[in-house]
Amino acid sequence: MSFTTTSFQLDGRRALITGSCKGIGLELARGLGSAGASLVINDRNLQKAQAVASQLRDEGLSVEIAVFDVTDRTQLREAINGFEAQTGAIDILINNAGIQRRAPLEDFSAEDWHELMRVNLDGVFHVSQAVAQHMIARGRGKIINICSVQSELARPTIAPYAASKGAVKMLTKGMCAEWARHGIQANGLAPGYFATEMNRALVDDQGFSEWLCKRTPAGRWGRVEELCGAAVFLASSASDFVNGQTLFVDGGLTSVV
């Protein structure tokens, strides 16, 4: 089939975005919705998910909700299986839910380590497995795992976060190795430094912001809407022969010394 720009359209497809009530997840939902996808907003809080869904509907987007905690395997499987049975297929999964904890590595608590891994890594595994079982049966699907520049680079006080995001990058490759034969494309989307709620302390730190702007070839923080083009590409048929890759959207940060 010849290439056309319609390859980037997501009409008739449904996308589940975990942790999509704020920040990057919410903006990615808007981006996929603008490309034609029906959205499934996720949060562990029903009222929050309902409020965001209502907001997006007011913007003209088609929105449903799926309430579950990505760290609760039983709960998320019941929610995903129930959604598939009662509402319809999840064609696109974006594993966006994530947390950050900062402390010197020698002082990093075991509790914070395990919490990071449960959300950032275990959550990606459990949600992907639950959704992929349905995708495998249909012989098609798109999985986008939100990685990070910390999938490649480390900084003081966030070594466990970097470990979790490095593991997600390799899990993405493993998904490709296991599931490509079933018509599933699994890829990573790795943001650089974006001005989000999670990064508020860094955005407000003048010294860090000055360092970052000098370190990044683009000379600035990223804007969350700048992630949407890459997400739409990875979610669309335009990327049907792209698998197991991690696409860095970082203003050139990982390309230079």
mmCIF file of all heavy atoms in Angstrom, residues 47-83:
data_model
loop_
_atom_site.group_PDB
_atom_site.id
_atom_site.type_symbol
_atom_site.label_atom_id
_atom_site.label_comp_id
_atom_site.label_asym_id
_atom_site.label_seq_id
_atom_site.Cartn_x
_atom_site.Cartn_y
_atom_site.Cartn_z
ATOM 1 N N GLN A 47 -13.427 10.193 40.640
ATOM 2 C CA GLN A 47 -13.874 11.578 40.471
ATOM 3 C C GLN A 47 -12.903 12.375 39.609
ATOM 4 O O GLN A 47 -13.320 13.177 38.759
ATOM 5 C CB GLN A 47 -14.040 12.256 41.842
ATOM 6 C CG GLN A 47 -15.239 11.768 42.633
ATOM 7 C CD GLN A 47 -15.059 10.347 43.187
ATOM 8 O OE1 GLN A 47 -13.941 9.952 43.532
ATOM 9 N NE2 GLN A 47 -16.156 9.593 43.252
ATOM 10 N N LYS A 48 -11.619 12.158 39.797
ATOM 11 C CA LYS A 48 -10.621 12.865 38.996
ATOM 12 C C LYS A 48 -10.728 12.457 37.528
ATOM 13 O O LYS A 48 -10.695 13.296 36.625
ATOM 14 C CB LYS A 48 -9.214 12.564 39.519
ATOM 15 C CG LYS A 48 -8.130 13.397 38.865
ATOM 16 C CD LYS A 48 -6.745 13.030 39.375
ATOM 17 C CE LYS A 48 -6.587 13.371 40.837
ATOM 18 N NZ LYS A 48 -5.189 13.115 41.308
ATOM 19 N N ALA A 49 -10.874 11.160 37.269
ATOM 20 C CA ALA A 49 -11.007 10.680 35.890
ATOM 21 C C ALA A 49 -12.263 11.232 35.240
ATOM 22 O O ALA A 49 -12.248 11.633 34.066
ATOM 23 C CB ALA A 49 -11.015 9.151 35.863
ATOM 24 N N GLN A 50 -13.363 11.266 35.989
ATOM 25 C CA GLN A 50 -14.610 11.798 35.439
ATOM 26 C C GLN A 50 -14.478 13.277 35.099
ATOM 27 O O GLN A 50 -14.981 13.738 34.067
ATOM 28 C CB GLN A 50 -15.743 11.584 36.435
ATOM 29 C CG GLN A 50 -16.189 10.131 36.560
ATOM 30 C CD GLN A 50 -17.230 9.936 37.640
ATOM 31 O OE1 GLN A 50 -17.255 10.647 38.648
ATOM 32 N NE2 GLN A 50 -18.103 8.944 37.450
ATOM 33 N N ALA A 51 -13.802 14.036 35.957
ATOM 34 C CA ALA A 51 -13.640 15.476 35.716
ATOM 35 C C ALA A 51 -12.812 15.741 34.475
ATOM 36 O O ALA A 51 -13.150 16.601 33.642
ATOM 37 C CB ALA A 51 -12.998 16.133 36.935
ATOM 38 N N VAL A 52 -11.724 14.997 34.311
ATOM 39 C CA VAL A 52 -10.873 15.181 33.126
ATOM 40 C C VAL A 52 -11.599 14.722 31.875
ATOM 41 O O VAL A 52 -11.515 15.372 30.821
ATOM 42 C CB VAL A 52 -9.536 14.436 33.310
ATOM 43 C CG1 VAL A 52 -8.732 14.433 32.006
ATOM 44 C CG2 VAL A 52 -8.721 15.082 34.422
ATOM 45 N N ALA A 53 -12.330 13.619 31.953
ATOM 46 C CA ALA A 53 -13.092 13.147 30.800
ATOM 47 C C ALA A 53 -14.108 14.186 30.361
ATOM 48 O O ALA A 53 -14.279 14.450 29.161
ATOM 49 C CB ALA A 53 -13.782 11.828 31.133
ATOM 50 N N SER A 54 -14.781 14.797 31.318
ATOM 51 C CA SER A 54 -15.753 15.839 30.996
ATOM 52 C C SER A 54 -15.079 17.030 30.324
ATOM 53 O O SER A 54 -15.604 17.584 29.347
ATOM 54 C CB SER A 54 -16.467 16.288 32.276
ATOM 55 O OG SER A 54 -17.379 17.318 32.005
ATOM 56 N N GLN A 55 -13.932 17.407 30.820
ATOM 57 C CA GLN A 55 -13.168 18.514 30.235
ATOM 58 C C GLN A 55 -12.804 18.218 28.780
ATOM 59 O O GLN A 55 -12.952 19.077 27.900
ATOM 60 C CB GLN A 55 -11.907 18.746 31.058
ATOM 61 C CG GLN A 55 -10.958 19.799 30.498
ATOM 62 C CD GLN A 55 -9.652 19.856 31.288
ATOM 63 O OE1 GLN A 55 -9.560 19.350 32.403
ATOM 64 N NE2 GLN A 55 -8.640 20.456 30.688
ATOM 65 N N LEU A 56 -12.324 17.003 28.524
ATOM 66 C CA LEU A 56 -11.916 16.638 27.169
ATOM 67 C C LEU A 56 -13.123 16.521 26.235
ATOM 68 O O LEU A 56 -13.036 16.863 25.052
ATOM 69 C CB LEU A 56 -11.122 15.338 27.190
ATOM 70 C CG LEU A 56 -9.747 15.411 27.869
ATOM 71 C CD1 LEU A 56 -9.127 14.030 27.965
ATOM 72 C CD2 LEU A 56 -8.818 16.362 27.130
ATOM 73 N N ARG A 57 -14.243 16.052 26.760
ATOM 74 C CA ARG A 57 -15.456 16.009 25.940
ATOM 75 C C ARG A 57 -15.887 17.416 25.543
ATOM 76 O O ARG A 57 -16.352 17.640 24.416
ATOM 77 C CB ARG A 57 -16.579 15.291 26.692
ATOM 78 C CG ARG A 57 -16.353 13.794 26.867
ATOM 79 C CD ARG A 57 -17.548 13.113 27.499
ATOM 80 N NE ARG A 57 -17.243 11.734 27.864
ATOM 81 C CZ ARG A 57 -17.194 11.276 29.108
ATOM 82 N NH1 ARG A 57 -17.460 12.098 30.124
ATOM 83 N NH2 ARG A 57 -16.893 10.018 29.361
ATOM 84 N N ASP A 58 -15.720 18.363 26.459
ATOM 85 C CA ASP A 58 -16.051 19.753 26.145
ATOM 86 C C ASP A 58 -15.151 20.304 25.038
ATOM 87 O O ASP A 58 -15.522 21.266 24.356
ATOM 88 C CB ASP A 58 -15.912 20.630 27.395
ATOM 89 C CG ASP A 58 -17.020 20.391 28.411
ATOM 90 O OD1 ASP A 58 -18.052 19.790 28.035
ATOM 91 O OD2 ASP A 58 -16.850 20.786 29.576
ATOM 92 N N GLU A 59 -13.978 19.697 24.870
ATOM 93 C CA GLU A 59 -13.057 20.086 23.806
ATOM 94 C C GLU A 59 -13.361 19.366 22.491
ATOM 95 O O GLU A 59 -12.638 19.521 21.511
ATOM 96 C CB GLU A 59 -11.612 19.809 24.238
ATOM 97 C CG GLU A 59 -11.173 20.623 25.442
ATOM 98 C CD GLU A 59 -9.795 20.225 25.972
ATOM 99 O OE1 GLU A 59 -9.048 19.546 25.232
ATOM 100 O OE2 GLU A 59 -9.460 20.589 27.115
ATOM 101 N N GLY A 60 -14.416 18.550 22.502
ATOM 102 C CA GLY A 60 -14.845 17.876 21.286
ATOM 103 C C GLY A 60 -14.272 16.496 21.073
ATOM 104 O O GLY A 60 -14.414 15.928 19.980
ATOM 105 N N LEU A 61 -13.654 15.917 22.099
ATOM 106 C CA LEU A 61 -13.029 14.607 21.961
ATOM 107 C C LEU A 61 -13.944 13.502 22.478
ATOM 108 O O LEU A 61 -14.796 13.730 23.334
ATOM 109 C CB LEU A 61 -11.700 14.585 22.708
ATOM 110 C CG LEU A 61 -10.671 15.639 22.269
ATOM 111 C CD1 LEU A 61 -9.407 15.547 23.112
ATOM 112 C CD2 LEU A 61 -10.348 15.502 20.787
ATOM 113 N N SER A 62 -13.753 12.304 21.941
ATOM 114 C CA SER A 62 -14.501 11.134 22.379
ATOM 115 C C SER A 62 -13.746 10.483 23.530
ATOM 116 O O SER A 62 -12.584 10.081 23.367
ATOM 117 C CB SER A 62 -14.652 10.148 21.216
ATOM 118 O OG SER A 62 -15.239 8.937 21.656
ATOM 119 N N VAL A 63 -14.389 10.368 24.691
ATOM 120 C CA VAL A 63 -13.668 9.955 25.898
ATOM 121 C C VAL A 63 -14.471 8.960 26.720
ATOM 122 O O VAL A 63 -15.668 9.139 26.951
ATOM 123 C CB VAL A 63 -13.326 11.174 26.791
ATOM 124 C CG1 VAL A 63 -12.430 10.744 27.952
ATOM 125 C CG2 VAL A 63 -12.665 12.280 25.985
ATOM 126 N N GLU A 64 -13.773 7.908 27.190
ATOM 127 C CA GLU A 64 -14.287 6.973 28.178
ATOM 128 C C GLU A 64 -13.277 6.919 29.319
ATOM 129 O O GLU A 64 -12.199 7.509 29.217
ATOM 130 C CB GLU A 64 -14.485 5.593 27.545
ATOM 131 C CG GLU A 64 -15.560 5.574 26.462
ATOM 132 C CD GLU A 64 -15.282 4.559 25.352
ATOM 133 O OE1 GLU A 64 -14.119 4.422 24.928
ATOM 134 O OE2 GLU A 64 -16.244 3.930 24.900
ATOM 135 N N ILE A 65 -13.603 6.222 30.380
ATOM 136 C CA ILE A 65 -12.676 6.143 31.509
ATOM 137 C C ILE A 65 -12.474 4.693 31.919
ATOM 138 O O ILE A 65 -13.335 3.835 31.715
ATOM 139 C CB ILE A 65 -13.157 6.968 32.720
ATOM 140 C CG1 ILE A 65 -14.490 6.439 33.259
ATOM 141 C CG2 ILE A 65 -13.246 8.446 32.376
ATOM 142 C CD1 ILE A 65 -14.911 7.109 34.555
ATOM 143 N N ALA A 66 -11.300 4.437 32.498
ATOM 144 C CA ALA A 66 -10.983 3.139 33.093
ATOM 145 C C ALA A 66 -10.258 3.434 34.401
ATOM 146 O O ALA A 66 -9.142 3.979 34.393
ATOM 147 C CB ALA A 66 -10.116 2.302 32.166
ATOM 148 N N VAL A 67 -10.885 3.102 35.514
ATOM 149 C CA VAL A 67 -10.328 3.427 36.823
ATOM 150 C C VAL A 67 -9.602 2.209 37.389
ATOM 151 O O VAL A 67 -10.200 1.159 37.599
ATOM 152 C CB VAL A 67 -11.437 3.888 37.790
ATOM 153 C CG1 VAL A 67 -10.871 4.145 39.182
ATOM 154 C CG2 VAL A 67 -12.121 5.135 37.253
ATOM 155 N N PHE A 68 -8.298 2.369 37.582
ATOM 156 C CA PHE A 68 -7.510 1.326 38.251
ATOM 157 C C PHE A 68 -6.160 1.899 38.650
ATOM 158 O O PHE A 68 -5.700 2.908 38.120
ATOM 159 C CB PHE A 68 -7.329 0.084 37.360
ATOM 160 C CG PHE A 68 -6.640 0.333 36.037
ATOM 161 C CD1 PHE A 68 -5.258 0.431 35.944
ATOM 162 C CD2 PHE A 68 -7.388 0.446 34.869
ATOM 163 C CE1 PHE A 68 -4.638 0.639 34.723
ATOM 164 C CE2 PHE A 68 -6.778 0.652 33.636
ATOM 165 C CZ PHE A 68 -5.397 0.745 33.567
ATOM 166 N N ASP A 69 -5.527 1.215 39.600
ATOM 167 C CA ASP A 69 -4.183 1.547 40.063
ATOM 168 C C ASP A 69 -3.207 0.614 39.342
ATOM 169 O O ASP A 69 -3.360 -0.612 39.404
ATOM 170 C CB ASP A 69 -4.117 1.336 41.579
ATOM 171 C CG ASP A 69 -2.801 1.756 42.204
ATOM 172 O OD1 ASP A 69 -1.767 1.723 41.508
ATOM 173 O OD2 ASP A 69 -2.800 2.097 43.400
ATOM 174 N N VAL A 70 -2.213 1.178 38.667
ATOM 175 C CA VAL A 70 -1.289 0.349 37.887
ATOM 176 C C VAL A 70 -0.457 -0.572 38.763
ATOM 177 O O VAL A 70 0.175 -1.514 38.249
ATOM 178 C CB VAL A 70 -0.360 1.204 37.000
ATOM 179 C CG1 VAL A 70 -1.148 2.043 36.011
ATOM 180 C CG2 VAL A 70 0.585 2.072 37.832
ATOM 181 N N THR A 71 -0.432 -0.349 40.073
ATOM 182 C CA THR A 71 0.324 -1.216 40.966
ATOM 183 C C THR A 71 -0.509 -2.378 41.502
ATOM 184 O O THR A 71 0.018 -3.241 42.203
ATOM 185 C CB THR A 71 0.900 -0.432 42.160
ATOM 186 O OG1 THR A 71 -0.166 0.002 43.011
ATOM 187 C CG2 THR A 71 1.711 0.767 41.685
ATOM 188 N N ASP A 72 -1.802 -2.400 41.172
ATOM 189 C CA ASP A 72 -2.704 -3.444 41.669
ATOM 190 C C ASP A 72 -3.056 -4.374 40.513
ATOM 191 O O ASP A 72 -3.975 -4.117 39.737
ATOM 192 C CB ASP A 72 -3.966 -2.798 42.258
ATOM 193 C CG ASP A 72 -4.875 -3.796 42.957
ATOM 194 O OD1 ASP A 72 -4.911 -4.985 42.545
ATOM 195 O OD2 ASP A 72 -5.575 -3.395 43.903
ATOM 196 N N ARG A 73 -2.334 -5.483 40.418
ATOM 197 C CA ARG A 73 -2.479 -6.387 39.271
ATOM 198 C C ARG A 73 -3.910 -6.921 39.145
ATOM 199 O O ARG A 73 -4.467 -6.950 38.039
ATOM 200 C CB ARG A 73 -1.497 -7.551 39.395
ATOM 201 C CG ARG A 73 -1.603 -8.601 38.290
ATOM 202 C CD ARG A 73 -0.581 -9.710 38.500
ATOM 203 N NE ARG A 73 -0.786 -10.820 37.595
ATOM 204 C CZ ARG A 73 -0.302 -10.890 36.360
ATOM 205 N NH1 ARG A 73 0.400 -9.879 35.880
ATOM 206 N NH2 ARG A 73 -0.524 -11.944 35.603
ATOM 207 N N THR A 74 -4.501 -7.321 40.239
ATOM 208 C CA THR A 74 -5.846 -7.880 40.186
ATOM 209 C C THR A 74 -6.849 -6.827 39.729
ATOM 210 O O THR A 74 -7.679 -7.082 38.842
ATOM 211 C CB THR A 74 -6.252 -8.430 41.565
ATOM 212 O OG1 THR A 74 -5.349 -9.488 41.932
ATOM 213 C CG2 THR A 74 -7.666 -8.983 41.527
ATOM 214 N N GLN A 75 -6.760 -5.640 40.319
ATOM 215 C CA GLN A 75 -7.688 -4.575 39.973
ATOM 216 C C GLN A 75 -7.557 -4.166 38.512
ATOM 217 O O GLN A 75 -8.556 -4.007 37.806
ATOM 218 C CB GLN A 75 -7.434 -3.362 40.876
ATOM 219 C CG GLN A 75 -8.373 -2.201 40.629
ATOM 220 C CD GLN A 75 -7.934 -0.957 41.384
ATOM 221 O OE1 GLN A 75 -7.080 -0.208 40.929
ATOM 222 N NE2 GLN A 75 -8.519 -0.753 42.557
ATOM 223 N N LEU A 76 -6.334 -4.000 38.034
ATOM 224 C CA LEU A 76 -6.169 -3.519 36.655
ATOM 225 C C LEU A 76 -6.606 -4.570 35.639
ATOM 226 O O LEU A 76 -7.174 -4.240 34.593
ATOM 227 C CB LEU A 76 -4.733 -3.048 36.418
ATOM 228 C CG LEU A 76 -3.593 -4.080 36.338
ATOM 229 C CD1 LEU A 76 -3.408 -4.660 34.955
ATOM 230 C CD2 LEU A 76 -2.277 -3.434 36.796
ATOM 231 N N ARG A 77 -6.360 -5.826 35.948
ATOM 232 C CA ARG A 77 -6.801 -6.869 35.010
ATOM 233 C C ARG A 77 -8.321 -6.941 34.943
ATOM 234 O O ARG A 77 -8.896 -7.123 33.867
ATOM 235 C CB ARG A 77 -6.205 -8.223 35.402
ATOM 236 C CG ARG A 77 -4.696 -8.309 35.207
ATOM 237 C CD ARG A 77 -4.160 -9.698 35.482
ATOM 238 N NE ARG A 77 -4.524 -10.614 34.414
ATOM 239 C CZ ARG A 77 -3.793 -10.795 33.304
ATOM 240 N NH1 ARG A 77 -2.690 -10.103 33.119
ATOM 241 N NH2 ARG A 77 -4.172 -11.662 32.404
ATOM 242 N N GLU A 78 -8.985 -6.817 36.080
ATOM 243 C CA GLU A 78 -10.445 -6.809 36.078
ATOM 244 C C GLU A 78 -10.978 -5.616 35.298
ATOM 245 O O GLU A 78 -11.941 -5.744 34.531
ATOM 246 C CB GLU A 78 -10.959 -6.783 37.518
ATOM 247 C CG GLU A 78 -10.742 -8.089 38.275
ATOM 248 C CD GLU A 78 -11.194 -8.001 39.722
ATOM 249 O OE1 GLU A 78 -11.550 -6.881 40.172
ATOM 250 O OE2 GLU A 78 -11.189 -9.052 40.405
ATOM 251 N N ALA A 79 -10.345 -4.449 35.464
ATOM 252 C CA ALA A 79 -10.805 -3.246 34.765
ATOM 253 C C ALA A 79 -10.590 -3.360 33.259
ATOM 254 O O ALA A 79 -11.480 -3.023 32.462
ATOM 255 C CB ALA A 79 -10.068 -2.016 35.311
ATOM 256 N N ILE A 80 -9.429 -3.846 32.858
ATOM 257 C CA ILE A 80 -9.119 -3.945 31.423
ATOM 258 C C ILE A 80 -9.962 -5.035 30.764
ATOM 259 O O ILE A 80 -10.542 -4.827 29.687
ATOM 260 C CB ILE A 80 -7.615 -4.192 31.226
ATOM 261 C CG1 ILE A 80 -6.838 -2.919 31.574
ATOM 262 C CG2 ILE A 80 -7.317 -4.638 29.781
ATOM 263 C CD1 ILE A 80 -5.350 -3.108 31.715
ATOM 264 N N ASN A 81 -10.053 -6.190 31.399
ATOM 265 C CA ASN A 81 -10.870 -7.260 30.825
ATOM 266 C C ASN A 81 -12.340 -6.856 30.763
ATOM 267 O O ASN A 81 -13.044 -7.164 29.793
ATOM 268 C CB ASN A 81 -10.709 -8.542 31.641
ATOM 269 C CG ASN A 81 -9.326 -9.156 31.504
ATOM 270 O OD1 ASN A 81 -8.588 -8.855 30.562
ATOM 271 N ND2 ASN A 81 -8.949 -10.006 32.448
ATOM 272 N N GLY A 82 -12.809 -6.161 31.804
ATOM 273 C CA GLY A 82 -14.191 -5.699 31.805
ATOM 274 C C GLY A 82 -14.443 -4.665 30.724
ATOM 275 O O GLY A 82 -15.487 -4.698 30.054
ATOM 276 N N PHE A 83 -13.500 -3.760 30.523
ATOM 277 C CA PHE A 83 -13.650 -2.746 29.481
ATOM 278 C C PHE A 83 -13.701 -3.409 28.106
ATOM 279 O O PHE A 83 -14.548 -3.079 27.272
ATOM 280 C CB PHE A 83 -12.486 -1.752 29.539
ATOM 281 C CG PHE A 83 -12.670 -0.563 28.640
ATOM 282 C CD1 PHE A 83 -13.194 0.619 29.121
ATOM 283 C CD2 PHE A 83 -12.329 -0.624 27.298
ATOM 284 C CE1 PHE A 83 -13.383 1.719 28.292
ATOM 285 C CE2 PHE A 83 -12.508 0.460 26.454
ATOM 286 C CZ PHE A 83 -13.043 1.640 26.955
#
